[in-house]
Amino acid sequence: MKIKKVVELLNAKVVSGHDHLEAEVEFCFASDLMSDVLTVETENLLLLTGLANLQTIRTSEMSDISKIIFVRKKNATEEMIRLAAENEMILIECDYSMFKTSGILFSAGLKPVY
Amino acid sequence: MMHFEFHVEGGNFLKAGAASSQLKKILKQLNVDPKTIKRVVVAMYEAEVNIVAHAYKGDIYIDIDTKKIEITLIDEGPGIPDIDLAMKQGFSTASSVVREMGFGAGMGLPNIKNNSDELTITSEVNKGTTVKFATYLNQ
Ligand SMILES: Nc1ncnc2c1ncn2[C@@H]1O[C@H](COP(=O)(O)OP(=O)(O)O)[C@@H](O)[C@H]1O
Ligand SMILES: [Mg+2]
């Protein structure tokens, strides 16, 4: 699925990395626990999280994750956006809850890691 | 043989990961394969965050040769009284501040072990901790 489609389905807002909208994504992992994200070995992962701080971006950088959705109106700070841009990531903000977001993306065909 | 050093400030979550980020850039430039880079930087990041989360300050020494990447993190801090216990999945003494950062689930040390080929931890209570690990490069 194209990231563009994900944004559309979630009525979401891209706050950084608009040039990645055509990128494809197959797997999604939802977690607020960065240590857990750091154990996932799947490539080309979309991260769904309610944790919006600098360590979310750092964790993604180390894990080769370049697509992040912040759920439930969590906003990316300027510093997060700067670091994300440096690492060529797309950051998306979404108003829906983690549950609703996961449900929509799962129904649309994104695959779980486990 | 290449050598790099980084300093880490305890408690400073704004800078946590800066050293790991530098290492990632270095390994990319050296054309290390992406899977190995991920293993090394994930292990290094968990160890760097541990200094930020649990110690007062620390230094990181990195040695790279054609066979392996060896990383030694030496900190001044409270030390680890029972290393076997600390290595257990789920064991954590992390503060609520650390948990708010997405860490503190007691998964860091086990994940360092999982992403390295050699790991030794030595520690002295009220003095500090040394975490040394190596990841082999594919030949
Ligand atoms: N550098 C360190 N200095 C002091 N204690 C440490 C250090 N690294 C780890 N520990 C201890 O080991 C425990 C487990 O570490 P870890 O598996 O990384 O989990 P977490 O950091 O999430 O608590 C920590 O909660 C802490 O008690
Ligand atoms: Mg830890």
Side-chain angles (χ1 to χ4, degrees), chain A residues 34-35 38 40 55 61 64, chain B residues 13 21 24 38 45-46 102:
Chain A
M34 294 304 112
S35 276
L38 286 163
V40 179
Q55 294 317 310
E61 178 188 358
D64 295 327
Chain B
F13 268 100
S21 176
K24 187 171 184 188
K38 183 171 167 179
Y45 180 51
E46 281 286 8

Side-chain angles (χ1 to χ4, degrees), chain A residues 49-52 69-76 92-95:
Chain A
T49 186
L51 189 83
I69 299 181
F70 299 104
V71 298
R72 196 78 190 108
K73 301 180 182 173
K74 299 287 185 315
N75 298 118
I92 299 161
E93 291 175 357
C94 159
D95 287 356

Side-chain angles (χ1 to χ4, degrees), chain B residues 46 49-50 54 103 108-109:
Chain B
E46 281 286 8
V49 166
N50 274 354
H54 306 296
F103 294 88
L109 292 177

Side-chain angles (χ1 to χ4, degrees), chain A residues 6 15 20 28 36 43 61 72 74 82 99 103 106-107:
Chain A
V6 170
V15 290
H20 298 290
C28 182
D36 205 7
E43 282 170 41
E61 178 188 358
R72 196 78 190 108
K74 299 287 185 315
R82 193 194 57 73
F99 179 67
F106 188 88
S107 311

Side-chain angles (χ1 to χ4, degrees), chain A:
Chain A
M1 187 187 312
K2 282 208 161 69
I3 279 289
K4 200 167 67 181
K5 171 95 181 179
V6 170
V7 173
E8 224 175 80
L9 286 168
L10 299 176
N11 236 320
K13 186 173 130 202
V14 178
V15 290
S16 180
H18 294 80
D19 46 328
H20 298 290
L21 280 167
E22 297 294 326
E24 289 283 338
V25 62
E26 190 182 352
F27 289 94
C28 182
F29 188 70
S31 182
D32 292 348
L33 185 57
M34 294 304 112
S35 276
D36 205 7
V37 176
L38 286 163
T39 64
V40 179
E41 284 169 19
T42 311
E43 282 170 41
N44 194 13
L45 197 65
L46 170 67
L47 175 64
L48 212 60
T49 186
L51 189 83
N53 65 41
L54 219 44
Q55 294 317 310
T56 313
I57 311 294
R58 282 292 187 209
T59 296
S60 302
E61 178 188 358
M62 302 314 152
S63 305
D64 295 327
I65 293 170
S66 61
K67 305 169 183 74
I68 310 174
I69 299 181
F70 299 104
V71 298
R72 196 78 190 108
K73 301 180 182 173
K74 299 287 185 315
N75 298 118
T77 63
E78 257 175 52
E79 186 64 7
M80 287 165 65
I81 291 174
R82 193 194 57 73
L83 197 59
E86 201 182 294
N87 288 288
E88 295 180 359
M89 295 171 180
I90 180 165
L91 300 189
I92 299 161
E93 291 175 357
C94 159
D95 287 356
Y96 302 160
S97 67
M98 182 79 106
F99 179 67
K100 182 164 172 177
T101 309
S102 300
I104 291 171
L105 296 181
F106 188 88
S107 311
L110 279 193
K111 294 181 196 152
V113 176
Y114 300 109

